[in-house]
């Protein structure tokens, strides 16, 4: 696909860079927002071994593995997403946008130390009764081979007057069978630890005061941390490096928290959900299947 504007990065921007720029991003056209025709790329990027190890440790992956965790490339992709959404032609303010779904397809494992070419671009928008859902696609290649793909959808809250509420298309199994359970205890400072490692500067994860400024009662765990932590268990249970993993972010996890992961494997697929221990609230639901 041809894109009129290309952002080519020589290195990934720092979290501080994105934090400052995000603070000044504002809505410019909420009545009829149109996504710019553009993409962002970085060639020959080699993820830092320390960053990979820190990520693996925070999400529960093997810190001694010689391949990247299946969800780790999203940390690189997300910085390209930020560049696209912080561009002056993007019509929405980035602060307060919420990640609603994420799909990753890993065609083969990426070895630690391998150089990757990463490209991200807008893949469409959908107006709902809650606001505008913006989708970004990421492609990662090594040489000519497509090794990893991602599709992330973010929600920008906008006035809903006149927008009909519709049921979303169902992607997840309706009645998955869970046979495995594990409990996670999440500390209050999880967001402060994960944010710098994953390159996510959103202040709703920092602490109570910052989160309240955006309308939340307390600070939240990163949705992609929850997916990463679930993937660490589910991908190991699946037993296939080539895999597709899809999640829907249902309810925020307010920190600190004690939550449970339920999972079950059948016919080359592991279904899972992350739920509150004190009630039936589902925070995240998804599947991972072998390719």
């Amino acid at each position: 696909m041809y894109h009129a504007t290309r952002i080519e990065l020589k290195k990934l921007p720092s979290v501080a860079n994105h934090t400052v720029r995000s603070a000044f991003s504002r809505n410019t056209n909420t009545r009829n927002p149109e996504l710019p025709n553009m993409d962002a790329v970085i060639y020959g990027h080699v993820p830092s071994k320390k960053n990979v190890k820190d990520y693996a440790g925070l999400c529960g992956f093997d810190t001694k593995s010689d391949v990247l965790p299946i969800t780790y490339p999203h940390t690189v992709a997300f910085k390209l997403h930020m560049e696209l959404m912080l561009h002056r032609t993007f019509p929405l303010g980035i602060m307060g946008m919420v990640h609603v779904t994420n799909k990753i397809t890993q065609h083969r494992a990426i070895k630690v130390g391998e150089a990757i070419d990463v490209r991200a671009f807008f893949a469409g928008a959908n107006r709902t009764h809650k606001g505008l859902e913006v989708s970004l696609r990421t492609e990662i290649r090594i040489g000519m081979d497509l090794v990893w793909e991602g599709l992330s959808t973010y929600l920008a809250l906008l006035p809903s007057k006149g927008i009909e509420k519709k049921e979303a298309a169902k992607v997840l199994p309706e009645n998955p069978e869970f046979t495995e359970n594990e409990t996670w205890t999440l500390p209050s400072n999880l967001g402060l630890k994960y944010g710098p490692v994953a390159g996510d500067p959103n202040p709703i994860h920092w602490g109570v005061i910052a989160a309240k400024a955006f309308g939340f009662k307390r600070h939240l765990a990163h949705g992609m941390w929850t997916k990463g932590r679930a993937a660490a268990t589910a991908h190991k249970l699946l037993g296939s490096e080539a895999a597709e993993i899809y999640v829907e972010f249902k309810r925020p996890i307010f920190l600190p928290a004690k939550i449970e992961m339920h999972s079950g494997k059948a016919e080359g697929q592991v279904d899972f959900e992350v739920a509150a221990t004190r009630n039936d609230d589902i925070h995240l639901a998804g599947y991972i299947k072998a390719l």
Side-chain angles (χ1 to χ4, degrees), residues 109-122:
I110 300 172
K111 293 182 180 179
V112 176
E114 279 192 291
I116 56 178
D117 297 334
V118 189
R119 175 175 173 260
F121 54 93
F122 291 110

Side-chain angles (χ1 to χ4, degrees), residues 64 90 103 130-131 208:
K64 297 181 180 179
F90 185 65
K103 180 181 178 181
K130 293 183 179 180
V208 175

Side-chain angles (χ1 to χ4, degrees), residues 204 210-218 254:
I204 64 175
K212 283 185 174 180
F214 290 92
F216 296 96
K217 62 181 181 180
R218 296 203 311 276
F254 294 105

Side-chain angles (χ1 to χ4, degrees), residues 65-98:
S65 175
D66 64 351
V67 299
L68 303 183
I70 188 172
T71 49
Y72 176 85
H74 177 81
T75 65
V76 181
F78 182 72
K79 290 201 171 188
L80 298 188
H81 297 177
M82 289 288 291
E83 286 297 309
L84 291 170
M85 291 188 288
L86 287 171
H87 193 269
R88 59 180 176 76
T89 58
F90 185 65
L92 303 167
I94 196 171
M95 285 298 191
M97 291 184 72
V98 180

